[in-house]
Amino acid sequence: MRSRSVAVAVGSGMAVAIASATVALAQSLEGDRLNLNGRDYPVAWQQWRDHQNQLRTGISDGGLANRFGVLLGETTDPLQQPVAWFQPQFSPLAVRFSPNGMYRYLDITPWIEQYQWQVQPQGNTLQISTPPARILSWRQARQPWGDRWVFELDRPTPWQVNRLTFSRSGLTPRDLSLTIEATGQLTPLPNVKITATPHRTVLETKIPATARPVASMLLNPLRLVIDFRRDAPPPRTIQWAPGIRWQQQTVTLGNHQFPVDLLILNPQQPGLRLRPLTVWPTTVVGLATLPELAQAWGAAAALNAGFFNRDRQAPLGAIRSEGNWLSGPILNRGAIGWDDRGQIVVGRLSLQQQVRTPAGTLPIVTLNSGYVQAGLALYTPSWGAVYQGKTGSEVVITVRNQQVVGQQPIKVNQTVPIPPDGFLLVARNFHSALASFPMGAAVELETTAVPAVFNALPNIVGAGPLLVEQGQVVLNAAGEQFGAGLDAQAAPRSAMGNRRDGSIVWVTTHNRVGGRGPTLAEWAEIVRRLGLINAVNLDGGSSTALYLGGVLVDRHSVTTTRVNNAIGVFWQPPS
């Protein structure tokens, strides 16, 4: 449990409103674990005292949606979030931002009293016990859009879809698990497994690959209704914070409908910035899920970014953060660069690097990359503490303070320390270069980006192919040396770009309605129709994921896979 002493902020307009939603009069307690009726979940929470010294309790919006079954409605006001939970219509809950901007808490204090919940912080965990509830009956009905489950309840109670697998093919049935914090004698139905415990009931089944569970809750009679729909979801827009807008909509191409999730960012918003994210601050090597990566860095939002070698757990494309090259581009593929003023550049990027010695100048083929090829490869401290041999035909040249201090052949998996005050040059099948690096030789690195406009941009992520440039589709997967057939493959997709109004846009999509995700050609047209004037394709398939406020918003958390790098949004509320 973290305690925080804070003071009342002063200001004007929106800043005052946000500040009053971000600070407390005395001490606030916060944590990132929730125990709901004896089960632990990763959910952020906070308790504080208001101006009347009343204890308030807030739970992250994603936590309420995922663990209690709360429906989040549309809003243009970042300080008010309409919700629906066993009530006749959406009603607003007050929003309070975490001091680091990672979460926004919805004030559930009125619900605690109304529904007689027992709430107690214990260390980093908020324990919530809800009164025993009963499922009076349940039935399955057939609707024009698919199956419907109806549960009659004796009181409002939390529920959640705690497992929903992802169908990569768009054809394989999906596993679904529904948990209701209630008990009752449920009549089994074909293909539905029911597990009852003293506190809850779990139903497990399979649903069609392109079906999605859609919930509604009635107050009179008290019901939980789950529809398994195969049509396009309705549009929704939530102003999550100043400068951060989450939007869901459907793009139609011909006879096909593609549901998409967008995060629309205002780079001019004070306190908001975007940065590339690696798995750890000290290395570009490793894998983590997108939520793990975002939370380790303290990001409010994150999007999967560049390609990577899953076996070597290393990037396969450009990563530049705050002016530092963490990994170099490969194969002249599409990249996107930006600065904190909102300038965006897209293009097919290469990095011209060379090392100058008294004997002459030699080219460097890769920088901190999982793309292994013949020539001189550069490994800096950004790669990590050590380099591990890749091919068995490598000679490592160690440089400290711009001077050669060692040269040694290494075997596969043999490790060599990377000096914090220097770098390693790894010669692969390039023995003719070794004579240029005798002990004590002075060396100097030279680096420039092509096109040169990228040199001025401190933040760059490379993936590809390039989708849209200056409002026109410029897709050329073969020209960026992607494998044959990639452009025709239907798969989940991610992209980043910008609009004419200066906003930066992240977009993800998974399956089309009734089938697999878009081809690259369809994806390029989708992002163009969404108003992006420049856009680059990012890593897709199982890597596709969009994170906001502690949860994935475009897919269920149990389906996410590990990635090597991402892009994060950091937002600092006024203090």
Side-chain angles (χ1 to χ4, degrees):
M1 178 173 63
R2 298 182 294 274
S3 64
R4 184 182 302 274
S5 297
V6 291
V8 179
V10 295
S12 61
M14 177 66 79
V16 170
I18 295 172
S20 65
T22 310
V23 301
L25 292 176
Q27 281 195 332
S28 63
L29 306 177
E30 55 187 2
D32 57 14
R33 304 296 300 181
L34 170 73
N35 182 284
L36 177 60
N37 295 327
R39 295 186 71 176
D40 285 326
Y41 302 104
V43 173
W45 60 272
Q46 189 182 76
Q47 286 191 320
W48 68 98
R49 293 196 176 274
D50 63 15
H51 294 272
Q52 285 76 43
N53 203 35
Q54 180 184 1
L55 182 66
R56 316 294 298 188
T57 299
I59 294 179
S60 66
D61 52 356
L64 280 178
N66 286 0
R67 304 307 177 187
F68 288 77
V70 173
L71 306 181
L72 304 179
E74 291 198 301
T75 181
T76 58
D77 183 357
L79 301 179
Q80 297 284 331
Q81 176 57 61
V83 299
W85 197 74
F86 296 104
Q87 56 200 55
Q89 60 188 9
F90 282 87
S91 60
L93 290 181
V95 170
R96 174 186 174 89
F97 297 100
S98 65
N100 58 12
M102 288 179 63
Y103 308 106
R104 61 174 200 158
Y105 304 116
L106 304 189
D107 187 349
I108 62 166
T109 306
W111 289 7
I112 293 173
E113 190 171 321
Q114 178 181 354
Y115 299 118
Q116 300 177 329
W117 295 352
Q118 299 296 316
V119 178
Q120 179 65 44
Q122 186 168 349
N124 196 40
T125 300
L126 185 69
Q127 295 183 332
I128 297 182
S129 298
T130 62
R134 289 192 56 79
I135 302 173
L136 304 178
S137 66
W138 88 298
R139 64 184 182 273
Q140 179 173 309
R142 189 72 179 175
Q143 301 294 328
W145 56 79
D147 289 334
R148 164 177 283 182
W149 289 356
V150 180
F151 300 89
E152 305 278 353
L153 304 170
D154 72 339
R155 65 181 302 134
T157 192
W159 64 272
Q160 61 179 286
V161 174
N162 57 322
R163 180 173 176 81
L164 182 61
T165 58
F166 174 71
S167 174
R168 295 186 185 183
S169 66
L171 304 173
T172 308
R174 310 165 72 189
D175 295 327
L176 176 135
S177 177
L178 174 71
T179 297
I180 304 174
E181 299 293 318
T183 58
Q185 298 295 322
L186 275 64
T187 303
L189 293 177
N191 302 319
V192 180
K193 177 184 176 182
I194 301 175
T195 303
T197 73
H199 301 288
R200 60 186 58 86
T201 301
V202 180
L203 298 92
E204 299 173 89
T205 190
K206 290 184 179 293
I207 63 175
T210 57
R212 55 188 176 86
V214 179
S216 56
M217 289 158 280
L218 306 178
L219 184 60
N220 189 19
L222 201 61
R223 288 176 179 169
L224 169 63
V225 180
I226 307 292
D227 290 320
F228 300 100
R229 304 187 67 106
R230 307 189 199 191
D231 55 354
R236 179 173 60 165
T237 298
I238 292 177
Q239 189 70 42
W240 192 85
I244 305 175
R245 187 167 78 251
W246 171 33
Q247 188 169 314
Q248 295 176 309
Q249 66 182 85
T250 298
V251 177
T252 300
L253 296 182
N255 296 323
H256 300 284
Q257 292 180 298
F258 297 91
V260 297
D261 280 83
L262 303 93
L263 203 66
I264 304 167
L265 308 166
N266 178 6
Q268 305 302 323
Q269 176 65 41
L272 189 146
R273 57 192 177 92
L274 283 73
R275 293 291 184 270
L277 307 179
T278 54
V279 175
W280 305 109
T282 56
T283 179
V284 297
V285 179
L287 302 178
T289 67
L290 189 64
E292 290 170 343
L293 202 159
Q295 289 164 14
W297 282 91
L303 175 70
N304 71 287
F307 298 105
F308 57 97
N309 184 306
R310 189 168 293 277
D311 292 332
R312 295 191 172 108
Q313 302 188 2
L316 294 174
I319 306 175
R320 191 184 196 194
S321 181
E322 298 182 340
N324 299 314
W325 283 104
L326 306 181
S327 181
I330 64 171
L331 303 173
N332 200 37
R333 288 179 171 175
I336 185 166
W338 68 93
D339 62 20
D340 288 342
R341 298 170 298 173
Q343 181 184 4
I344 292 283
V345 171
V346 300
R348 296 183 175 96
L349 176 65
S350 62
L351 198 63
Q352 292 185 353
Q353 277 195 303
Q354 55 188 13
V355 55
R356 189 180 301 277
T357 75
T361 300
L362 295 170
I364 294 172
V365 295
T366 58
L367 164 63
N368 292 341
S369 178
Y371 183 61
V372 176
Q373 59 178 322
L376 275 181
L378 172 62
Y379 292 90
T380 71
S382 295
W383 175 263
V386 299
Y387 170 77
Q388 189 173 44
K390 309 296 183 206
T391 68
S393 59
E394 300 176 337
V395 176
V396 174
I397 302 157
T398 301
V399 177
R400 297 188 64 181
N401 297 316
Q402 297 184 307
Q403 191 173 54
V404 175
V405 297
Q407 188 180 119
Q408 61 176 315
I410 63 169
K411 301 176 180 179
V412 174
N413 295 328
Q414 181 179 344
T415 60
V416 179
I418 300 176
D421 55 357
F423 52 85
L424 301 182
L425 292 169
V426 179
R428 299 189 182 105
N429 298 318
F430 195 26
H431 293 289
S432 61
L434 300 180
S436 298
F437 299 97
M439 288 289 292
V443 297
E444 183 180 357
L445 295 176
E446 297 177 352
T447 302
T448 187
V450 179
V453 65
F454 278 98
N455 287 313
L457 298 175
N459 305 297
I460 298 172
V461 165
L466 197 61
L467 299 173
V468 178
E469 189 171 18
Q470 297 183 2
Q472 301 297 315
V473 172
V474 292
L475 178 65
N476 185 357
E480 296 185 25
Q481 300 186 54
F482 285 97
L486 176 71
D487 51 352
Q489 179 183 357
R493 306 285 181 187
S494 303
M496 175 178 171
N498 67 319
R499 288 174 167 165
R500 294 191 188 279
D501 63 3
S503 58
I504 296 173
V505 182
W506 293 351
V507 195
T508 67
T509 190
H510 291 274
N511 289 332
R512 72 186 73 199
V513 174
R516 300 176 179 178
T519 65
L520 276 176
E522 290 172 327
W523 187 225
E525 181 59 23
I526 287 169
V527 299
R528 189 190 68 82
R529 292 196 183 189
L530 289 170
L532 277 69
I533 58 171
N534 299 291
V536 66
N537 183 63
L538 301 173
D539 189 11
S542 61
S543 297
T544 297
L546 179 61
Y547 167 98
L548 178 63
V551 298
L552 296 176
V553 295
D554 67 330
R555 62 190 294 175
H556 197 282
S557 60
V558 301
T559 67
T560 186
T561 58
R562 297 188 301 165
V563 297
N564 171 263
N565 59 89
I567 309 165
V569 173
F570 300 86
W571 179 65
Q572 184 61 56
S575 58

